[in-house]
Amino acid sequence: RKIQILMSATPRRGPEGQIIGMIGVGQDITQIREITKEQERVADDLSRLIDNANAPIFGVDCNGLVTEWNRKSAEMLGYTKEETIGKNLVEKFIQPENRKSVSEVLQKALAGEETTNYELPLLSKFGERYTVLLNATTRRDSVGKIIGVVGVGQ
């Protein structure tokens, strides 16, 4: 069995300050590395699942800026992920007459109140209008702080 050790070393000095050796401290980090690899694998699986889902999925941060944009969203609306990341979802992709109600749904999710089966009107790059049934879910970081909203449409 291979064990991974994190080593810290410092010089050992004699009475006149000359280096006479080394003091080393080692810590077994094998289990930490295994856990980290498993977390990375799960994160990669989830990322692929979101990106390849047959439903439009997007994410926004607390300022309403797009942070996630899967392939189905790109296919439906004609905007690549690169074109959407960092753009304001409501201002850029929502029909003007619906911006207020969509903003309210996002604000509720940012306050921890999730919305299901909301009819979300979207505007494509080519001027086509779509309506998807949206579930707006609060997105939280590892300590539970709200960091945005994930929207899953159908």
Side-chain angles (χ1 to χ4, degrees), residues 34-102:
E34 289 169 357
I35 291 169
T36 300
K37 280 184 180 179
E38 179 62 13
Q39 288 174 333
E40 289 170 354
R41 185 196 63 75
V42 169
D44 185 55
D45 286 352
L46 292 174
S47 180
R48 281 196 319 272
L49 177 68
I50 289 168
D51 200 42
N52 294 312
N54 196 28
I57 299 174
F58 64 87
V60 296
D61 65 13
C62 291
N63 298 311
L65 303 180
V66 176
T67 57
E68 301 288 338
W69 192 261
N70 77 342
R71 288 182 190 175
K72 188 65 174 182
S73 296
E75 177 185 305
M76 238 176 99
L77 299 179
Y79 293 98
T80 65
K81 186 174 187 171
E82 293 73 24
E83 289 176 297
T84 62
I85 299 297
K87 303 288 189 310
N88 187 288
L89 177 76
V90 174
E91 291 174 12
K92 181 77 175 172
F93 307 105
I94 304 301
Q95 301 159 26
E97 63 271 18
N98 300 109
R99 289 180 180 159
K100 183 179 179 194
S101 64
V102 172

